[in-house]
Amino acid sequence: MAAICVFCASSRTLDQRWLDLAEATGAELARRGHTVVSGGGCVGMMGALVEGARAAGGRTVGIIPQALVDLEVADLASDELVITDSMASRKILMVEKSDAFLTLPGGLGTLDELFEVWTTATLALHRKPTVVVDTDGFYTPLLDWLRAVTDQNFLKPAGFDLVQVADTVPTALDLIEATLT
């Protein structure tokens, strides 16, 4: 199956429902036979994601900069842990090692990763599917703003359409799998 990179929060102070979503996502990816590619952390949603995947028999690949390894937040249980010299090189490897991208709720780091793969897709540097999981309308305000930006010609409609949106993880994975086949 595919290597699917999941962008999500690594905060230690999240509500349990977000951790549960991430854990269920990891389990669903593993159940469907996909490898989980993550930012290589063991905390927050990122930690729950990889724990869920491994508990369901899935394979995990973590990509993390040395600075975060030094903070002792690396997912040392990863089947493959790649240590980079910077956040920028981390993102490059995440794109290279993945067949598709799934974005769960998150903060600035998650948005940075989403916009990196979205921007490079608009430049035709890759043609890998990208899906945002808009659980409980988490991303609705951002998506509304991006539609307005598109309406004002700052983003071409074709560029906007390079990212798909789903309200649930199973629907998001169905979208990815339909694109990969």
Side-chain angles (χ1 to χ4, degrees):
M1 298 302 306
I4 299 180
C5 186
V6 180
F7 304 133
C8 60
S10 61
S11 171
R12 298 176 195 251
T13 60
L14 299 172
D15 288 343
Q16 187 62 43
R17 72 183 186 123
W18 300 119
L19 301 174
D20 293 344
L21 173 66
E23 184 177 3
T25 300
E28 183 67 10
L29 284 161
R31 186 185 72 70
R32 293 182 184 219
H34 300 298
T35 295
V36 173
V37 178
S38 77
C42 64
V43 295
M45 289 177 71
M46 199 181 305
L49 170 78
V50 294
E51 287 172 14
R54 285 194 292 268
R59 183 172 188 279
T60 60
V61 175
I63 304 171
I64 189 167
Q66 182 64 52
L68 295 181
V69 173
D70 295 344
L71 292 175
E72 299 181 352
V73 297
D75 177 25
L76 300 177
S78 282
D79 293 297
E80 180 183 348
L81 186 64
V82 180
I83 300 171
T84 65
D85 62 354
S86 68
M87 292 293 277
S89 58
R90 172 202 207 184
K91 287 187 292 186
I92 291 168
L93 278 178
M94 290 170 91
V95 171
E96 289 175 357
K97 287 189 168 282
S98 302
D99 300 308
F101 306 96
L102 182 70
T103 303
L104 298 177
L108 291 177
T110 302
L111 291 175
D112 176 52
E113 292 162 339
L114 169 62
F115 284 125
E116 177 81 17
V117 298
W118 197 344
T119 300
T120 53
T122 64
L123 298 172
L125 298 176
H126 71 82
R127 300 232 181 265
K128 299 175 182 182
T130 303
V131 179
V132 171
V133 180
D134 192 23
T135 302
D136 296 335
F138 185 89
Y139 283 111
T140 299
L142 175 65
L143 294 167
D144 288 345
W145 177 78
L146 288 166
R147 280 185 195 92
V149 166
T150 303
D151 291 343
Q152 296 176 46
N153 298 315
F154 286 101
L155 173 62
K156 294 177 182 172
F160 184 84
D161 293 341
L162 289 172
V163 171
Q164 297 177 289
V165 180
D167 348 356
T168 67
V169 170
T171 302
L173 294 178
D174 289 346
L175 290 169
I176 287 172
E177 290 169 347
T179 305
L180 292 175
T181 55

